[in-house]
Amino acid sequence: MRKENKRKRRPLILIGTVVTGFILLLTAARTTMQGTVEPVKTEFLGMNTYIMFTAYGSDAGEALQAAEQKMADLESAWSVTEESSEIYQVNHSNGEPVTLSGETAEVVGYALSMAEETDGALEPTIYPALTAWGFTTGENRVPDREEIQEILKRVGYRKIILNGNQIQLSEGMELDLGAVGKGYAGDVVTELLKKQGITSALLDIGGNIQAIGAKPDGTDWQLGIRSPFGEGTLGVLSVADKAVVTSGNYERYFVGSDGKEYGHIINPETGYPVENELASITIIAKEGRQGDTLSTALYVKGLGGAITYWKEHPDFDLIAVTDDGEIYLTEKIADAFSLNSAFGNMKVNVIEK
Ligand code: AMP
Ligand code: MG
């Protein structure tokens, strides 16, 4: 597999879904002549990505409207760029304590606990490094080693004090929920939709997929796992009631003047974009927050580190794709994943406990 073939892609697509563009589309649920219930869909932009919610049931239209509003509220609270957001306030607090809303304190608390759990592979304070590499402005550049060393002094989740709803960062530190916010928001929306009586829905938040229940006919959702090497889907994963989240530097990267590719997931130990044998890693978890944090963190850890982590915390599944075209998947989902014939030459390895 050649790296040059990589393209910016949403890693997961829903098989059979036609994306009609960035428009708000809210259609009423209706029963067809055959008696099958048609889905209600809403599509919009939020959290710097493309979002599509699909739900079934007679109250689905109203429920999705509430879900979309909730996403907008979370974005307003968690944005790093909107001056009125809670995260912006924290990042401009000059070392002073800031009081957060309950929901924001929870997502930050979760990110900190996963930072601890992954030995700092997830680093919620990596933002200054992202800025140095130009990922926050779009003006990408390769910083020199000294600059990176200086920047790493402002990075380190252990220096954050979170006490109830009050948070305090050291001066110069900045929080970024980029690796956890979409998954956490998916959980919040899942909760909201379930409360409104929705038992069958699919949330696609920029490629983070969350399945509520199964399809209305009771069968599993069939999700296409996007190839990190360019066009096409590697294979199809059959799931119900799960979050399926992929990370990889193929999603967002730039090519430096040295001809090298530099991706948006940073190794917090070095301050450099992750460079290891992984092309992508997909996490299949009960909750979006776990899928989102682990896909980023285990991408940082690399194949060996990801497998070790899974053996120590086997409450999720993973599909890892290496740069040289091998697939590693955990034993429980081996039967739920089927490789597309176009990728039939890829070697599939089952990870066992
Ligand atoms: P994801 O797409 O969920 O893997 O998250 C990637 C995003 O998380 C990046 O675009 C950054 O905003 C941020 N990020 C990059 N590296 C890390 C890291 N090591 N820990 C936490 N967040 C990161
Ligand atoms: Mg993530």
Side-chain angles (χ1 to χ4, degrees):
M1 296 287 167
R2 293 179 45 201
K3 273 198 151 181
E4 294 81 64
N5 288 336
K6 290 180 177 183
R7 297 272 188 283
K8 290 181 188 179
R9 283 279 160 211
R10 292 192 305 127
L12 285 161
I13 55 162
L14 173 63
I15 294 283
T17 296
V18 180
V19 174
T20 50
F22 300 151
I23 46 158
L24 175 80
L25 191 75
L26 204 62
T27 48
R30 65 189 175 91
T31 307
T32 63
M33 302 261 276
Q34 292 79 25
T36 51
V37 176
E38 290 207 340
V40 184
K41 273 183 209 256
T42 177
E43 301 174 51
F44 55 101
L45 289 177
M47 299 200 167
N48 284 326
T49 194
Y50 168 74
I51 300 173
M52 180 166 66
F53 295 160
T54 308
Y56 294 84
S58 51
D59 297 331
E62 218 172 286
L64 285 189
Q65 244 163 356
E68 190 177 336
Q69 183 56 50
K70 187 71 205 178
M71 288 298 290
D73 294 347
L74 293 178
E75 181 176 11
S76 301
W78 298 348
S79 164
V80 270
T81 50
E82 268 179 51
E83 290 189 18
S84 57
S85 93
E86 292 181 53
I87 298 299
Y88 189 96
Q89 302 295 320
V90 171
N91 290 352
H92 295 82
S93 57
N94 299 316
E96 294 297 319
V98 173
T99 303
L100 304 173
S101 66
E103 224 155 32
T104 302
E106 263 179 43
V107 69
V108 171
Y110 184 75
L112 294 177
S113 71
M114 289 305 284
E116 190 70 40
E117 186 88 46
T118 61
D119 295 319
L122 185 84
E123 178 46 88
T125 68
I126 201 71
Y127 198 71
L130 287 164
T131 305
W133 287 91
F135 285 109
T136 57
T137 57
E139 283 165 32
N140 291 113
R141 57 191 275 276
V142 180
D144 63 35
R145 280 180 192 277
E146 277 170 25
E147 185 182 347
I148 289 175
Q149 286 320 308
E150 278 308 303
I151 276 175
L152 286 181
K153 292 181 186 159
R154 298 200 271 131
V155 172
Y157 71 93
R158 288 203 166 92
K159 286 182 276 187
I160 294 182
I161 302 167
L162 181 68
N163 200 345
N165 285 11
Q166 204 176 66
I167 189 167
Q168 192 168 13
L169 265 57
S170 306
E171 211 160 345
M173 284 181 77
E174 291 169 293
L175 266 183
D176 167 27
L177 300 177
V180 54
K182 293 200 285 285
Y184 206 96
D187 291 339
V188 172
V189 167
T190 295
E191 210 40 47
L192 182 153
L193 291 180
K194 281 185 175 168
K195 270 199 190 129
Q196 308 237 3
I198 302 295
T199 54
S200 175
L202 201 73
L203 314 177
D204 178 347
I205 306 176
N208 281 27
I209 307 285
Q210 279 181 248
I212 300 178
K215 287 199 288 188
D217 66 4
T219 62
D220 281 358
W221 305 96
Q222 305 297 318
L223 303 180
I225 305 292
R226 176 66 78 177
S227 162
F229 305 116
E231 297 299 324
T233 47
L234 277 185
V236 176
L237 182 70
S238 171
V239 294
D241 239 335
K242 286 272 174 1
V244 181
V245 185
T246 301
S247 287
N249 269 343
Y250 72 98
E251 292 180 291
R252 199 144 73 90
Y253 67 93
F254 72 96
V255 181
S257 53
D258 53 4
K260 270 185 71 170
E261 285 177 4
Y262 297 99
H264 69 133
I265 301 175
I266 309 285
N267 181 342
E269 271 179 18
T270 63
Y272 280 75
V274 169
E275 218 188 320
N276 59 29
E277 64 286 282
L278 288 180
S280 69
I281 187 161
T282 299
I283 305 296
I284 300 102
K286 192 81 199 118
E287 291 186 303
R289 65 192 73 181
Q290 189 188 19
D292 203 357
T293 48
L294 285 185
S295 66
T296 312
L298 299 193
Y299 184 73
V300 171
K301 282 181 178 285
L303 181 63
I307 292 174
T308 304
Y309 184 91
W310 176 77
K311 289 193 177 183
E312 287 166 2
H313 312 79
D315 60 342
F316 68 97
D317 284 290
L318 68 85
I319 303 174
V321 183
T322 64
D323 276 329
D324 55 12
E326 289 198 32
I327 297 178
Y328 290 79
L329 42 72
T330 46
E331 53 193 356
K332 271 205 309 277
I333 52 150
D335 291 339
F337 178 73
S338 55
L339 199 58
N340 276 353
S341 55
F343 293 94
N345 59 341
M346 291 181 83
K347 186 170 176 230
V348 179
N349 308 275
V350 177
I351 310 167
E352 290 168 356
K353 277 224 75 187

